[in-house]
RNA sequence: GGAGAAUUAGCUCAGCUGGUUCAGAGCACCUGCCUUACAAGCAGGGGGUCACUGGUUCGAACCCAGUAUUCUCCACCA
């Protein structure tokens, strides 16, 4: 027989994933069992697997596998998001490479290309998740633009419109000049940018005087509608009622007064550009100013700018600055840092722009969604996010839901030739509606805009079960609301809040009970992993190198919920080593020959201990899972297997070299082995399945797989047995320590005498002899002269080392220990003699202090006697 | 500018309502071992005035206040 010395994951991974699929273990259909449901946060179709997905989906898979083993009907629904702006940008770029301009295509032709692109690349990320071992029900895979999901979106739009939540209006929006679409506030990322602050002179009409304003955007002076000063500003009283001339274009604009202007900033004079700044827009409304929009949709200047028409705004900025300088209108230029908005998807600098858009009113919708979280009906994990959720929900603004794109669900609004509009699901219904309103119903056309992607993702937990269109269907009634949602805190508002809003509006229920918010995967230096930094390892390569189980363990080892994960490949190494450890434990057991002779006492004692210890660990693990402390659950499993099972239990029962093991003992070992494999399975699915099927554990039916094996249940355990064995472990460690510090080889057996007053070690006799390599173990009632001694609890142990013993060193060691114990005793005494302590502390605390005192006193007595006996 | 969080061993983190163990784990480190499951291993070991300063308390890593540093989220200062 030859089994590889190290675990080779490759073969096992392909084999078992295939096998699980073929046997339908990932499938879920409603039945009598309790459901356990997770909907996967749908990755963008444009996405490729990155470390964030790895973390996210590993967590989900651990949760779903554990639930499945616990006998629940586990259903994990995968899918992808159409990600309208990101995908459209990708497709546009691809077409450009082929020499095709989007503008030259009809909407239909463009969409044909987009769907082709989606079919070709959209599934990549899901394929990659298979490698991770994701046990999703792939037959339920959904896409946010599947016909039924799209219809759900349209239905929801109409429902919300009828309920008065959706309106159309001209507002200032965040305009993405690259995507050429409006964005919601949440899609704008603010970054601090080093800019220039230009001080520009505006000549006062019919005068040689100037006012100087400070701006970061000189290219917008052509859109200026006024200059604004604070009416309380002493310096500018003389300007009231005057007008000034905009440089270069020589247009006359008024000087207005508003306390909005900060006197301290810049020169205290503000140029008001209503078309290109939200605050200026509001000022303009208040003071009835003209709105001059000088920008095209792509961020270039239009003819209203008069000069530099067709130039991009950033180029225009530089050119204008130069021109102003040439005509002497620039007073000075300062360096200046300020926050600029960028498109989350295209990274283009956002332009505030006035435009007609569709909006979703949020205040009313937000309230119940906030209550779910505040009442605890929806639990955020960790709950520190509740505060920011609350803040956001209480300050939420209306949501711009229209996008000037083609890829997405087209808004079901219809216009007649007079530009009047109605909301209707189909053209026929629209015509009816127009007619019933007595309006012209000929030549009607549909709204060009599509809906924000998040409008459809908000429905995801419902729409994957077709719960929007058909709430009475069996799947929806069975699986909804789902149990856990695992996602990144960055999309708490984007997505989680909106799912709760939409879920509430349809079902009066939140779509999930727990929201586990993962951290951000960072590199060792704490930098966010990103493609542009090139600091993100390729997950697929990692899995090739360390094995999928190793990487899963690595991801989980140091990622408590909500904490960022400082990722380093050494975690994967640790995971791989752990897999290898289990593999080798298996090799050991696999290699044993058996005998029919009955089991001796020692392995039975060991089994008794391990069983109790195992049950204790299972209880701890359960507790960790209840609190979503996955890394702690994993660490408890890790230590149970590595320390308790391998280092202690297997060493205890391991037969002597080339000796057989009793059949009875082997059966017990195999039984435990399968139990620890079951515990490990959610974390390490492949290795555990591979070992599960080895003939060592007997013939198995085709469906007898660990993926559906029962997860160890909580059982009682005897703490005394665990404590007692801890003393045994201590004795063994102390003997090893003595050996180590005296440079005695582990091969040399030593004599050991124990003066047991507390614990009856007789049933552990053989275990101690074996693991501490004891030549002769005796139980004594008196001091053993000329021996190295140590305490295990209050039991003193002696190793007679004959002439090898250094009496002086022994004396010194014991003296130090007594000294320490006495110091300890003093502090305990101090507590106990403090009346206020005895009066105020809980009785069990006081009792405990008394025990500590008694224990220390007993130890001091023993050690003092030992010291005396040394002479 | 507002809000929240963090600061515990070289690193990453536990420490659940203040009091079982003079502060724990994993990794890393040091020493000795290629012992016939595993050197991706075995045995043993060292290492922290719990950021700082005060306060509350019989008792503080834990509660309170302030300081420092770091992070995250939100926000329209040109």
């Amino acid at each position: 027989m030859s089994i590889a010395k190290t675990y080779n994951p490759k073969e096992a991974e392909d084999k078992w994933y295939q096998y699980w699929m073929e046997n339908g273990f990932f499938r879920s259909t409603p039945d009598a069992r309790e459901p356990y449901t997770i909907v996967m946060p749908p990755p963008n179709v444009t996405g490729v697997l990155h470390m964030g997905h790895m973390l996210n989906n590993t967590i989900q898979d651990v949760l779903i596998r554990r639930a499945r083993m616990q006998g629940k009907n586990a259903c994990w629904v995968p899918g992808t998001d159409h990600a309208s702006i990101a995908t459209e940008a990708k497709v546009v770029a691809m077409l450009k490479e082929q020499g095709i301009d989007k503008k030259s295509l009809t909407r239909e032709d463009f969409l044909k290309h987009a769907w082709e692109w989606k079919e070709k690349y959209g599934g990549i990320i899901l394929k990659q998740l298979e490698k991770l071992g994701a046990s999703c029900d792939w037959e339920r895979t959904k896409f946010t633009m599947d016909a039924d999901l799209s219809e759900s979106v349209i239905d929801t739009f109409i429902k919300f419109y009828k309920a008065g939540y959706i309106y159309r209006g001209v507002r200032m929006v965040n305009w993405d000049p690259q995507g050429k679409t409006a964005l919601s506030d949440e899609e704008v990322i603010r970054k601090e940018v080093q800019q220039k602050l230009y001080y520009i002179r505006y000549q006062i009409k019919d005068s040689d005087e100037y006012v100087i304003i400070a701006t970061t955007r000189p290219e917008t002076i052509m859109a200026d509608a006024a200059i604004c000063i604070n009416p309380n500003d002493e310096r500018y009283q003389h300007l009231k009622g005057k007008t000034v001339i905009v440089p270069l274009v020589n247009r006359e604009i008024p000087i207005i007064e508003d306390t909005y202007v900060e006197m301290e900033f810049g020169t205290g004079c503000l140029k008001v550009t209503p078309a290109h700044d939200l605050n200026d827009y509001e000022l303009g409304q208040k003071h009835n100013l003209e709105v001059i929009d000088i920008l095209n949709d792509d961020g270039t200047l239009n003819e209203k700018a008069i000069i530099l028409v067709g130039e991009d705004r950033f180029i225009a900025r530089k050119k204008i600055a130069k021109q102003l300088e040439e005509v002497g209108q620039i007073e000075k230029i300062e360096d200046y840092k300020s926050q600029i908005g960028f498109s989350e998807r295209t990274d283009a600098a956002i332009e505030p722009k006035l435009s007609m858009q569709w909006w979703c009113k949020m205040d009313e919708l937000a309230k119940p969604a906030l209550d779910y979280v505040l009442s605890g009906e929806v639990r955020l994990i960790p709950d520190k996010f509740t505060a920011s959720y609350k803040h956001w929900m209480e300050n939420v603004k209306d949501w711009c839901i229209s996008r000037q794109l083609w890829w997405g669900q087209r808004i079901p609004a219809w216009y007649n030739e007079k530009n009047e509009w109605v909301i209707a699901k189909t053209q026929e219904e629209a015509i009816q509606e127009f007619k019933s309103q007595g309006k012209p119903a000929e030549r009607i056309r549909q709204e060009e805009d599509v809906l924000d992607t998040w409008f459809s993702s908000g429905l995801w937990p419902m729409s994957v079960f077709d719960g929007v269109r058909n709430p009475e269907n069996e799947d929806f009634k069975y699986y909804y609301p789902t149990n856990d949602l695992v996602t990144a805190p960055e999309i708490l508002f984007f997505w989680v809040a909106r799912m709760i809003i939409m879920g509430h509006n349809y079902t009066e229920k939140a779509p999930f009970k727990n929201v586990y918010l993962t951290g951000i995967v960072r590199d060792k230096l704490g930098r966010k992993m990103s493609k542009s930094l090139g600091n993100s390892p390729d997950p697929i390569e990692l899995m090739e190198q360390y094995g999928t189980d190793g990487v899963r363990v690595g991801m989980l080892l140091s990622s408590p919920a909500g904490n960022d994960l400082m990722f380093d490949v050494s975690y994967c190494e640790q995971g791989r080593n752990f897999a290898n450890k289990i593999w080798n434990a298996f090799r050991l057991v696999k290699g044993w020959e058996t005998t029919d002779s009955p089991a001796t006492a020692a392995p039975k004692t060991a089994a008794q201990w391990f069983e109790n210890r195992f049950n204790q660990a299972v209880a701890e693990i359960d507790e960790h899972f209840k609190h979503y402390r996955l890394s702690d659950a994993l660490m408890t499993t890790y230590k149970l297997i590595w320390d308790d099972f391998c280092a202690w239990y297997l060493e205890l029962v391991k037969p002597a070299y080339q000796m057989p093991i009793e059949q009875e003992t082997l059966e017990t070992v195999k039984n435990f082995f399968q139990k620890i494999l079951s515990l490990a399975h959610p974390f390490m699915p492949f290795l555990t399945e591979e070992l599960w099927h080895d003939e060592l554990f007997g013939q198995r039916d085709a469906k007898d797989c660990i993926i559906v094996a029962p997860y160890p249940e909580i059982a009682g355990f005897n703490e005394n047995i665990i404590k007692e064995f801890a003393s045994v472990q201590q004795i063994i460690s102390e003997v090893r320590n003595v050996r180590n510090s005296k440079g005695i080889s582990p091969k040399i057996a030593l004599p050991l005498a124990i003066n047991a007053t507390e614990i009856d070690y007789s049933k552990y006799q053989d275990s101690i002899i074996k693991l501490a390599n004891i030549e002769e173990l005796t139980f004594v009632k008196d001091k053993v002269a000329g021996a190295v001694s140590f305490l295990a609890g209050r039991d003193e142990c002696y190793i007679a080392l004959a002439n090898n013993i250094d009496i002086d060193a022994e004396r010194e060691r014991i003296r130090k220990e007594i000294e320490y114990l006495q110091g300890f005793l003093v502090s305990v005494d101090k507590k106990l003699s403090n009346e206020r302590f005895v009066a105020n502390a809980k009785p069990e605390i006081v009792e405990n202090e008394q025990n500590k005192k008694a224990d220390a006193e007993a130890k001091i007595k023993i050690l003092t006697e030992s010291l005396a006996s040394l002479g």
Side-chain angles (χ1 to χ4, degrees):
Chain A
M1 175 197 65
S2 80
I3 311 171
K5 218 169 158 182
T6 51
Y7 167 55
N8 177 11
K10 281 212 177 73
E11 199 188 323
E13 288 173 11
D14 294 342
K15 178 172 70 186
W16 291 113
Y17 201 83
Q18 199 62 28
Y19 193 85
W20 292 328
M21 290 283 277
E22 279 162 11
N23 284 277
F25 291 128
F26 302 164
R27 281 291 286 141
S28 172
T29 48
D31 60 24
R33 290 175 296 165
E34 179 191 345
Y36 175 83
T37 317
I38 298 180
V39 291
M40 177 188 291
N44 289 348
V45 278
T46 55
V48 284
L49 198 67
H50 58 62
M51 296 306 286
H53 296 122
M54 287 291 282
L55 176 63
N56 202 262
N57 288 288
T58 299
I59 291 166
Q60 292 176 70
D61 196 47
V62 169
L63 293 175
I64 207 90
R65 281 180 187 271
R66 183 163 181 271
R68 188 182 290 121
M69 290 174 79
Q70 285 174 325
K72 293 177 190 158
N73 187 347
C75 181
W76 185 13
V77 184
T80 46
D81 192 302
H82 67 280
S84 64
I85 183 167
T87 307
E88 181 148 334
K90 265 228 153 101
V91 174
V92 168
M94 176 199 76
L95 290 172
K96 200 172 174 187
E97 264 173 42
Q98 299 171 10
I100 305 171
D101 184 0
K102 182 188 163 193
K103 275 189 236 154
S104 70
L105 295 174
T106 64
R107 185 177 191 123
E108 269 136 36
D109 284 341
F110 176 82
L111 286 177
K112 222 157 87 190
H113 284 293
W115 277 105
E116 264 170 34
W117 187 92
K118 186 260 169 189
E119 293 311 324
K120 200 165 165 192
Y121 303 105
I124 291 179
I125 191 156
L126 296 182
K127 267 271 165 285
Q128 289 177 312
L129 283 177
E130 293 181 13
K131 175 125 184 85
L132 179 64
S135 57
C136 313
D137 184 349
W138 295 109
E139 286 177 45
R140 292 183 178 275
T141 303
K142 293 287 190 296
F143 175 55
T144 51
M145 268 171 71
D146 286 343
D148 51 334
L149 277 83
S150 282
E151 193 184 344
S152 304
V153 169
I154 299 308
D155 288 352
T156 303
F157 184 95
I158 294 169
K159 177 184 159 82
F160 276 34
Y161 173 74
K162 285 186 177 155
Y165 296 133
I166 287 177
Y167 65 93
R168 185 168 180 253
V170 174
R171 299 289 134 90
M172 202 53 118
V173 296
N174 307 295
W175 186 260
D176 175 345
Q178 192 175 320
K180 296 192 193 89
T181 176
L183 298 176
S184 68
D185 293 343
E186 288 71 41
E187 288 166 296
V188 177
I189 312 290
R190 297 196 176 268
K191 294 185 216 166
E192 185 154 275
V193 173
Q194 185 62 251
Q195 298 205 92
K196 300 245 185 273
L197 190 59
Y198 299 87
Y199 288 77
I200 303 171
R201 301 174 172 196
Y202 285 52
Q203 188 178 12
I204 297 167
K205 201 192 173 197
D206 302 328
S207 146
D208 296 337
E209 272 185 80
Y210 292 91
V211 306
I212 299 167
I213 59 94
T215 179
T216 54
R217 304 204 56 186
E219 76 277 18
T220 62
I221 61 169
M222 294 83 82
D224 284 351
I227 295 292
C228 190
I229 55 166
N230 192 308
N232 304 320
D233 198 328
E234 299 288 324
R235 297 170 292 178
Y236 300 127
Q237 294 300 321
H238 64 288
L239 293 178
K240 288 185 178 175
K242 301 245 166 89
T243 60
V244 298
I245 308 296
V246 179
L248 303 179
V249 292
N250 298 324
R251 191 157 45 76
E252 184 177 342
I253 54 173
I255 292 174
I256 61 168
E257 300 159 43
D258 200 293
T259 49
Y260 162 78
V261 176
E262 302 268 344
M263 292 185 269
E264 292 76 32
F265 188 89
T267 59
C269 288
L270 171 73
K271 78 184 197 66
V272 185
T273 320
H276 301 294
D277 185 281
L278 181 56
N279 299 303
D280 289 11
Y281 175 69
E282 280 163 9
L283 261 180
Q285 293 266 295
K286 198 167 154 191
H287 295 270
N288 232 332
L289 298 176
E290 194 185 351
V291 176
I292 309 160
D293 186 344
I294 59 161
L295 287 180
N296 290 314
D297 288 352
D298 61 358
T300 56
L301 272 56
N302 63 27
E303 54 290 343
K304 287 198 187 129
I306 302 170
I307 54 170
L308 295 171
V309 174
E311 293 278 15
D312 181 80
R313 61 207 194 284
F314 292 117
I315 295 168
R317 179 177 305 172
K318 282 182 190 147
K319 291 195 171 169
I320 294 232
K322 204 171 160 223
Q323 290 184 18
L324 286 169
E325 207 145 26
E326 281 165 7
V327 296
Q329 303 284 79
I330 296 260
E331 174 78 10
K332 59 177 173 175
I333 300 172
E334 284 178 350
D335 284 333
Y336 183 67
K337 257 188 205 153
S338 73
Q339 299 272 323
I340 300 275
F342 292 88
S343 164
E344 201 223 355
R345 291 297 177 204
T346 67
D347 205 35
I350 293 302
E351 284 296 332
K353 188 176 158 69
L354 212 51
S355 68
M356 177 67 88
Q357 301 287 343
W358 293 89
W359 302 82
C360 184
K361 256 200 219 148
M362 292 301 280
D363 45 0
E364 223 174 291
L365 289 168
K367 206 183 162 314
L370 172 58
D371 290 340
Y372 281 108
V373 171
L374 292 184
S375 71
E377 221 171 306
V378 171
R379 230 176 106 203
L380 302 185
I381 299 146
D383 63 4
K384 67 175 178 187
F385 289 107
T386 304
S388 56
Y389 180 82
K390 180 165 181 269
H391 185 258
W392 190 80
M393 290 305 247
E394 285 173 346
N395 296 285
V396 64
K397 290 192 194 146
D398 286 358
W399 170 19
C400 178
I401 53 174
S402 45
R403 296 291 179 275
Q404 288 64 53
L405 301 165
W406 283 342
W407 180 244
Q409 286 93 12
R410 198 165 172 180
I411 290 175
W414 306 81
Y415 300 86
N416 65 15
E417 53 202 357
K418 288 167 76 180
N419 244 1
E420 293 165 319
W421 55 270
V422 294
I423 300 299
K425 195 163 176 177
T426 61
Q427 187 163 9
E428 290 70 40
E429 285 175 29
I431 291 170
Q432 285 309 313
E433 182 62 29
F434 274 125
K435 282 184 177 162
S436 72
Q437 291 183 18
K439 290 173 179 164
E442 282 84 47
R443 281 188 293 280
I444 71 165
R445 61 198 156 77
Q446 193 178 353
E447 167 69 62
E448 292 290 325
D449 292 358
V450 299
L451 283 161
D452 180 8
T453 300
W454 298 99
F455 198 87
S456 64
S457 341
L459 297 169
W460 185 245
M462 293 186 285
S463 59
V464 294
F465 298 116
D466 202 13
V468 172
R469 301 188 311 161
N470 179 15
E472 291 307 312
N473 86 73
E474 197 191 357
D475 271 3
F476 188 59
K477 280 162 76 178
Y478 182 73
Y479 292 114
Y480 186 94
T482 67
N483 295 73
D484 297 336
L485 176 79
V486 180
T487 191
E490 301 143 64
I491 53 177
L492 188 57
F493 311 128
F494 261 133
W495 191 44
V496 179
R498 282 159 188 169
M499 280 191 287
I500 298 177
I501 286 173
M502 295 199 167
H504 172 76
N505 267 274
Y506 270 101
T507 66
E508 302 271 303
K509 284 183 205 147
F512 30 69
K513 299 178 188 84
N514 304 295
V515 181
Y516 179 113
L517 296 154
T518 63
I520 298 165
V521 183
R522 295 175 180 279
D523 69 8
K524 233 171 147 176
L525 302 169
R527 298 174 305 180
K528 209 166 165 174
M529 284 194 170
S530 73
K531 230 196 253 168
S532 54
L533 270 175
N535 59 348
S536 178
D538 176 4
I540 301 292
E541 271 173 37
L542 274 183
M543 289 189 276
E544 297 282 337
Q545 194 177 351
Y546 296 100
T548 298
D549 291 335
V551 177
R552 289 169 62 115
V553 168
M555 297 296 319
L556 249 25
L557 267 178
S558 147
S559 83
N563 272 23
D564 288 359
L565 163 60
M566 304 295 169
F567 183 82
D568 187 83
V569 289
S570 68
Y571 289 117
C572 294
E573 210 171 293
Q574 193 181 348
R576 177 202 61 182
N577 294 354
F578 183 42
N580 196 231
K581 184 71 187 177
I582 298 174
W583 175 259
N584 275 289
F586 162 78
R587 275 219 305 153
L588 172 69
V589 176
K590 174 96 172 158
W592 286 337
E593 304 287 333
T594 57
T595 166
D596 287 338
S597 40
T600 55
K604 283 186 180 164
T605 312
Q608 189 196 27
W609 163 73
F610 185 73
E611 180 155 24
N612 281 286
R613 171 66 198 120
F614 178 86
N615 287 338
Q616 184 187 40
V618 170
E620 280 170 24
I621 291 166
D622 188 71
E623 196 60 25
H624 287 318
F625 269 107
K626 267 191 194 140
H627 294 94
Y628 292 83
R629 298 194 286 241
L630 268 63
S631 47
D632 292 333
L634 171 58
M635 190 41 74
T636 305
T637 308
Y638 180 95
K639 285 194 277 193
L640 174 74
I641 293 175
W642 200 306
D643 300 340
D644 298 312
F645 185 70
C646 293
W648 289 100
Y649 178 67
L650 286 182
E651 290 299 334
L652 282 170
V653 301
K654 185 164 139 182
Y657 179 49
Q658 288 194 334
M659 293 295 282
I661 191 167
E662 306 90 23
Q663 186 62 45
E664 195 186 338
T665 305
L666 181 62
E667 289 308 317
T668 310
V669 172
K670 277 155 56 176
N671 181 31
F672 284 141
F673 211 127
Q674 290 173 82
K675 281 180 159 182
I676 60 147
L677 288 178
S678 307
L679 270 187
H681 177 77
F683 302 108
M684 313 173 86
F686 294 109
L687 168 70
T688 51
E689 192 72 87
E690 172 76 11
L691 296 181
W692 184 260
H693 290 274
D694 190 90
E695 60 187 10
L696 172 69
F697 300 114
Q699 280 300 311
R700 295 194 189 272
D701 296 340
K703 296 255 177 185
D704 181 3
C705 291
I706 198 167
I707 188 176
V708 288
Y711 190 80
E713 282 180 37
I714 293 190
F717 56 91
N718 182 336
E719 239 170 301
N720 279 335
I721 290 179
I722 296 168
K723 249 187 217 162
E724 207 171 86
F725 191 72
S727 283
V728 173
Q729 290 173 307
Q730 197 196 338
I731 291 174
I732 293 166
S733 280
E734 291 282 6
V735 174
R736 287 168 173 171
N737 184 10
V738 167
R739 211 191 295 273
N740 233 315
S741 59
K742 304 230 176 275
I744 302 167
S745 160
K747 287 174 191 155
I748 297 171
L750 298 173
L752 178 70
I754 304 176
N755 183 356
T757 58
E758 268 194 328
I759 295 170
D760 176 11
Y761 290 100
S762 55
K763 67 172 174 173
Y764 297 109
Q765 197 167 346
D766 292 342
S767 303
I768 295 171
I769 289 171
K770 188 172 182 181
L771 294 196
N773 192 13
I774 298 305
E775 172 181 57
E776 194 194 4
L777 177 59
T778 51
F779 293 102
V780 296
K781 288 282 153 228
D782 298 305
K783 301 268 167 213
V784 174
V788 174
S789 66
F790 58 85
L791 277 176
R794 289 186 209 174
D795 301 327
E796 196 167 37
C797 305
Y798 312 92
I799 303 171
L801 285 177
N803 43 18
N804 211 338
I805 178 169
D806 178 346
I807 300 276
D808 289 339
E810 270 304 287
R811 199 181 288 122
E812 183 58 20
R813 203 189 43 105
I814 294 172
R815 219 180 44 71
K816 272 200 171 143
E817 210 170 328
I818 292 173
E819 203 174 288
Y820 159 73
L821 281 167
Q822 277 168 339
F824 179 64
L825 199 56
V826 168
S827 74
V828 175
D829 268 333
K830 209 166 138 193
K831 265 192 199 174
L832 284 170
S833 58
N834 181 339
E835 279 170 37
R836 299 173 78 181
F837 170 73
V838 181
N840 291 327
K842 279 182 257 174
E844 58 266 34
I845 303 290
V846 178
E847 194 189 323
N848 200 272
E849 289 301 313
Q850 278 158 350
N851 288 341
K852 274 156 78 176
K853 179 183 162 87
D855 193 59
E857 280 170 346
K859 282 177 177 170
I860 289 172
K861 182 164 174 278
I862 295 166
L863 289 170
T864 310
E865 286 164 11
S866 297
L867 198 59
S869 75
L870 281 176

